[in-house]
Amino acid sequence: AAMTRSEIKTLPLSPRTGLVARLAHVISQAMTRHRDRKALSQLDPHLLRDIGLSPDEAKSEAAKPFWHA
């Protein structure tokens, strides 16, 4: 017999669902780091001073690969 929608919604999530959610979260974080570092690399020195970074610190942060936190 087919299950109703309400019966399907109450089924426990499989371990695979948790893995997919974690993977999506990790990918989202990596994309955010990449975008933020790219933006940081394009800031003018006076804007870097406003956020408390030197040009060298910004360059160092922007040079990190997206998978490094």
Side-chain angles (χ1 to χ4, degrees):
M3 294 179 15
T4 67
R5 283 184 166 226
S6 62
E7 290 173 324
I8 292 171
K9 287 181 182 176
T10 59
L11 289 175
L13 295 176
S14 72
R16 201 179 255 178
T17 302
L19 176 63
V20 171
R22 285 194 305 272
L23 181 59
H25 180 72
V26 167
I27 291 170
S28 175
Q29 283 182 321
M31 290 173 65
T32 298
R33 277 194 298 271
H34 175 73
R35 184 195 67 229
D36 292 349
R37 288 176 177 155
K38 184 175 180 177
L40 184 63
S41 72
Q42 297 171 352
L43 290 179
D44 292 328
H46 75 278
L47 292 174
L48 291 171
R49 280 193 305 273
D50 286 349
I51 62 172
L53 291 176
S54 71
D56 287 339
E57 290 170 322
K59 186 177 181 179
S60 175
E61 182 64 30
K64 289 182 183 178
F66 67 88
W67 60 84
H68 283 198

